[in-house]
Amino acid sequence: MESTAPKTPDLTSAERPRTTAHGDRTRRQILRRAVDIASAQGLEGLTIGSLAKELGMSKSGLFAHFGSKEELQLAVVDEAAVIFAENVVEPAFEAPEGVARLYALMDHWVGYVDESVFPGGCFWSKVESEFSARSGVVRDKIVELTSEYIKAMQADVENAKRRGELRDDADAAQLTFEFGAYVQGCNLASQLHGDRAAFGRARLGIRRRIEDAATDKGKKALAAYIKG
Amino acid sequence: MESTAPKTPDLTSAERPRTTAHGDRTRRQILRRAVDIASAQGLEGLTIGSLAKELGMSKSGLFAHFGSKEELQLAVVDEAAVIFAENVVEPAFEAPEGVARLYALMDHWVGYVDESVFPGGCFWSKVESEFSARSGVVRDKIVELTSEYIKAMQADVENAKRRGELRDDADAAQLTFEFGAYVQGCNLASQLHGDRAAFGRARLGIRRRIEDAATDKGKKALAAYIKG
DNA sequence: CCTACCGATCGGTAGG
DNA sequence: CCTACCGATCGGTAGG
């Protein structure tokens, strides 16, 4: 039975009416706090009751903003993507194209882990591990967004090749894999072993892999960017 | 009030009476299944009720083997350490000392992730991430064991240096960091993105880092081991 | 090893 | 946004 004028509006969809400035501000405050908690406790450890208590509101009051725990988790992942864009992707675009921008992207990325934008370390490392053996829309969104970040790395590597700053025989997929691994590695070493030296090791590894694959033009461009 | 003859024996300690062969076998069966589940769902996602149901026993019957969820988690971590020793640490000792043994250790390590000894990928990656922002004896045990694995890597690097197979200026801590990062990287790429090519990339990265740091003697020893 | 419980907490709902 | 609930599940206990 289909109805052309449904009595019950779909409160779980993104089109749910939410036009007041106050409602938007409250929702944003909830999500900022939720991303912090999820970076430490995971998206399942983030419970509606404990989040509500920390924000000084009732459980059902908070719940009404999202409609389900899954919708809350999706909103938290979206919010984390905004924070990542602001702290890593966008700042890297200020560097000149080529190896400089590639290095800038990875340098900001390590910095975002290092400076602990989130109390629990890298939000993405946490939720990737948490959802790696699950299925559903939350996992799908995590996979989609982190795939974009990997593609952004690889695009910068391939752009540097096209500009003649990395050698033609440089293996873009291999470099991308190694860069991602270094970021993961320093996040875990820091969070689990308190090893702050790992950030320097990640940066050094990234720099050496770029230098090893760079042409003379690329080496000069990278040195000029790092010095400047 | 101290008693020299306490009426209630400490059932949570390791000294709890457990002498029957049957009890030991049951306990081992429970733990093997539990490690599998924890590699996918984590040590919190491993609930006593669901584990009991899967093993066809009552919740309290299973519970009696451990005394608390925390003791179960500790036993699961110990069991995972036995499996890691059998699959990675011990097989590597069959390779000759030096860069060959270093490569063998890392090759078996990647193989243990690749061949999915556990259904959820690397048990250690899962629980390291899960407990990175927690405190307590379970986290402490995870940190202790994974630190041992890192030390085993670094000991092999330093041994290869002493034998003149890696150059004197090779940075042992840097190499160790990069090897660990590659293992983490291929586990996540495989589990989250289904990227089985990542195992080859991890192995290639490990081999190139060793070759880049190797002396002529070391290059020959590595080539002989990989060919043989 | 079992059945039969316990209090606490989970996500979610009713009704305002 | 609230109070007051719900059934399900959690770790854990009593008593055998």
Side-chain angles (χ1 to χ4, degrees), chain B residues 94-115:
Chain B
E94 291 174 19
E97 264 189 87
V99 289
R101 183 170 296 175
L102 171 60
Y103 182 81
L105 176 68
M106 299 315 304
D107 191 46
H108 283 105
W109 203 327
V110 174
Y112 142 94
V113 179
D114 184 357
E115 287 148 26

Side-chain angles (χ1 to χ4, degrees), chain A residues 140-199:
Chain A
D140 292 347
K141 175 156 265 181
I142 291 164
V143 170
E144 180 198 331
L145 285 164
T146 55
S147 293
E148 274 182 34
Y149 304 150
I150 294 170
K151 281 176 195 157
M153 274 195 280
Q154 188 150 346
D156 273 1
V157 172
E158 281 162 357
N159 195 29
K161 279 179 74 170
R162 270 195 301 275
R163 293 172 57 85
E165 295 184 6
L166 293 178
R167 292 196 312 272
D168 284 339
D169 66 350
D171 186 337
Q174 179 72 23
L175 284 168
T176 304
F177 169 79
E178 297 194 16
F179 294 159
Y182 294 152
V183 173
Q184 261 190 81
C186 68
N187 181 64
L188 187 69
S190 162
Q191 291 294 317
L192 198 71
H193 302 282
D195 177 14
R196 295 196 46 81
F199 299 119

Side-chain angles (χ1 to χ4, degrees), chain B residues 22 26 58 60:
Chain B
H22 177 71
T26 304
S58 71
S60 65

Side-chain angles (χ1 to χ4, degrees), chain A residues 51-118:
Chain A
L51 180 59
K53 191 183 281 180
E54 249 188 282
L55 291 162
M57 62 194 295
S58 72
K59 216 177 69 168
S60 66
L62 187 147
F63 189 88
H65 280 274
F66 303 98
S68 73
K69 171 134 194 196
E70 194 169 66
E71 287 291 327
L72 168 64
Q73 291 176 329
L74 289 171
V76 169
V77 171
D78 276 331
E79 182 65 22
V82 169
I83 295 170
F84 188 78
E86 288 172 355
N87 284 277
V88 179
V89 180
E90 288 163 16
F93 268 94
E94 291 175 17
E97 265 189 85
V99 289
R101 183 170 296 175
L102 171 61
Y103 181 82
L105 177 68
M106 299 316 305
D107 191 47
H108 281 106
W109 203 326
V110 173
Y112 143 94
V113 178
D114 184 358
E115 286 148 27
S116 281
V117 169
F118 307 122

Side-chain angles (χ1 to χ4, degrees), chain B residues 146-211:
Chain B
T146 55
S147 293
E148 273 182 34
Y149 303 150
I150 294 171
K151 281 176 197 158
M153 274 195 280
Q154 188 150 345
D156 274 1
V157 173
E158 280 161 359
N159 195 29
K161 279 179 74 171
R162 270 195 302 275
R163 294 173 57 85
E165 296 184 4
L166 293 179
R167 292 197 312 272
D168 284 339
D169 67 348
D171 186 338
Q174 179 72 24
L175 284 168
T176 304
F177 169 79
E178 298 194 15
F179 293 159
Y182 294 152
V183 172
Q184 261 190 81
C186 69
N187 181 64
L188 186 70
S190 161
Q191 290 295 317
L192 199 70
H193 300 284
D195 177 14
R196 295 196 45 82
F199 300 120
R201 296 201 177 101
R203 285 194 165 90
L204 182 60
I206 289 161
R207 185 169 174 176
R208 284 197 179 152
R209 296 295 83 72
I210 295 177
E211 286 174 345

